[in-house]
Amino acid sequence: MISPVIPANEEKRLDSIKDLDIIGSLPEETYDSITKLASAICETPIALITILDKEINWFKSKVGTSIEKSEREISFCGHAILEPQKLFEVPNTLKDERFKDNPLSIAKEGAIRFYAGAPILDEEGLPLGTLCVLDSKEHHLSDAQKTALKALAKQVEVLFNYRRKNKELEKLKDDLDENNRILREFASTVSHDLKMPLANMIITADILKAKYSGNLDEEGIKYLNYLKQSGLTLSDYINGLLDYYSSNVEANREQEFFLNDLLEDIIDLLNIAENCEINLPDNNLKIYGNSAAVGQIFMNLINNSLKYNSNEKIVIDIDCTENREFFNFSVKDNGIGIPTSKHEEIFELFTTATDSDRQGKKGHGIGLSTVKKLVGSLGGFINVTSEKGEGTCFDFSIKRYIQ
């Protein structure tokens, strides 16, 4: 018996196998279907997808055997990977100097007489293992069978590449989740640490105004009002950040609620002025989803329609439709509109479309970024139709969930 030599690129090859992280993984139908095809096409009782590690030859998929691995030094695959661009075929192992006294060839039961293996390569051309077929008697593959075996090995390579990319995406998701967790903790900490001093500042401004207004001139009163308003603005800003980083639409998602009932509750909370007309949908749509998240979306959009409107009478039209996959909504107003050049950037955090709202206050650019985040988390999308001075219409959808 001649044991397979170690390839010159062995260290890089083993690093690639380690990065693939497939040894010891559970059986998968996508791989098993390939070994079944290889066995049927090549007319052999055994077919394997192997990974040749440092000391073992491990079988990711197998047909015709219950063995899960073999020692590398007696493996046929160890020889096959030495010429990674060629199909390695041994018609009769007893007639080959390398294998005639190999334990696998002379075993009392299940002896291997025939082997053919197509190396499986990574994206850099490093051989990781083989797609191989085996028989207990002498066998010869036709040219068509050889071509098919090599083509199936290419499919395994595609699956391996998908596995690597999925691992990269999972790692990226884990990193993003961790970053979001840190940001949520940071937002919560900042909110907790700043809310009390801000509350004290606002209350102190009110006390000073109530107790000493008689001793202050008009400019002094103006400064106190400015101090209080600054505190309130900063408080709103902190609350917005906290809402953005702590929103979790997965919790309590599966709820049944009626859209118009939800909208009426929101209108009550916003304390709508008499000069505002809000037209609700004609159909009180029954929705199965996350009422808290949908409510937060409508709260932000309706509030924006109120704030960014210079007309004597504010008109807001809300509509909804449904199809097999989505609930579709729209919030349209007669407000100041949004320049076309800013349609994309208004959904970015800390970005505003205008310098100030109806009351002259500058926005913080958190509301619409929160809305987009919530809509995306609900499996939907959002877009805006607007021109400066012509009003604004936000269309958004959420994915339907089967009850």
Side-chain angles (χ1 to χ4, degrees), residues 284-331:
N284 193 5
L285 189 67
K286 182 165 72 173
I287 298 174
Y288 191 68
N290 188 321
S291 62
V294 174
Q296 190 173 352
I297 293 168
F298 274 108
M299 176 80 80
N300 275 287
L301 294 179
I302 295 171
N303 198 35
N304 278 354
S305 292
L306 296 171
K307 290 196 300 182
Y308 299 103
N309 197 315
S310 58
N311 289 302
E312 186 175 338
K313 183 174 182 180
I314 298 172
V315 179
I316 302 172
D317 295 314
I318 301 173
D319 198 9
C320 65
T321 59
E322 59 179 323
N323 55 40
R324 289 184 63 182
E325 293 186 61
F326 295 97
F327 294 111
N328 303 297
F329 309 97
S330 68
V331 178

Side-chain angles (χ1 to χ4, degrees), residues 67-128:
I67 299 173
E68 296 184 352
K69 61 185 177 181
S70 66
E71 295 177 24
R72 178 175 175 173
E73 63 179 12
I74 65 171
S75 70
F76 300 122
C77 298
H79 293 272
I81 68 164
L82 297 177
E83 294 186 271
Q85 301 302 327
K86 296 181 180 180
L87 186 141
F88 182 77
E89 184 178 21
V90 183
N92 190 327
T93 58
L94 296 181
K95 295 179 181 179
D96 191 301
E97 287 294 324
R98 293 167 294 184
F99 307 110
K100 65 180 182 179
D101 55 352
N102 186 298
L104 298 175
S105 303
I106 60 176
K108 291 183 179 180
E109 294 184 9
I112 303 300
R113 292 287 182 271
F114 167 79
Y115 173 90
I120 299 168
L121 313 180
D122 69 5
E123 290 182 313
E124 295 184 11
L126 297 169
L128 310 180

Side-chain angles (χ1 to χ4, degrees), residues 196-216:
M196 186 57 69
L198 279 172
N200 289 337
M201 184 174 75
I202 294 166
I203 292 170
T204 301
D206 281 337
I207 292 172
L208 288 172
K209 186 177 177 181
K211 192 171 183 178
Y212 299 106
S213 58
N215 300 325
L216 296 173

Side-chain angles (χ1 to χ4, degrees), residues 255-265 283-288 291 294:
Q255 278 183 317
E256 184 178 278
F257 63 95
F258 287 91
L259 178 62
N260 285 14
D261 296 346
L262 178 69
L263 292 172
E264 288 171 358
D265 289 340
N283 55 324
N284 193 5
L285 189 67
K286 182 165 72 173
I287 298 174
Y288 191 68
S291 62
V294 174

Side-chain angles (χ1 to χ4, degrees), residues 110-214:
I112 303 300
R113 292 287 182 271
F114 167 79
Y115 173 90
I120 299 168
L121 313 180
D122 69 5
E123 290 182 313
E124 295 184 11
L126 297 169
L128 310 180
T130 68
L131 171 62
C132 57
V133 291
L134 305 94
D135 204 339
S136 57
K137 61 181 184 296
E138 184 172 327
H139 195 99
H140 295 268
L141 296 182
S142 67
D143 288 342
Q145 288 172 328
K146 291 177 182 177
T147 299
L149 188 62
K150 288 189 285 186
L152 289 172
K154 290 295 181 185
Q155 292 305 305
V156 179
E157 292 176 4
V158 170
L159 291 176
F160 281 1
N161 288 335
Y162 280 148
R163 181 182 178 87
R164 290 184 194 276
K165 287 178 170 54
N166 284 336
K167 278 173 54 62
E168 291 173 3
L169 289 174
E170 286 173 5
K171 185 179 184 305
L172 178 60
K173 180 181 179 299
D174 290 341
D175 290 344
L176 287 173
D177 288 344
E178 177 61 15
N179 286 338
N180 284 333
R181 184 191 65 80
I182 293 171
L183 285 170
R184 283 195 297 271
E185 289 183 358
F186 172 76
S188 179
T189 300
V190 168
S191 174
H192 180 271
D193 290 349
L194 291 182
K195 273 187 173 181
M196 186 57 69
L198 279 172
N200 289 337
M201 184 174 75
I202 294 166
I203 292 170
T204 301
D206 281 337
I207 292 172
L208 288 172
K209 186 177 177 181
K211 192 171 183 178
Y212 299 106
S213 58

Side-chain angles (χ1 to χ4, degrees), residues 249 325-326 374-381 397-401:
V249 298
E325 293 186 61
F326 295 97
L374 287 169
V375 170
S377 299
L378 291 172
F381 53 88
S397 66
I398 63 171
K399 193 170 181 64
R400 297 186 67 151
Y401 292 97

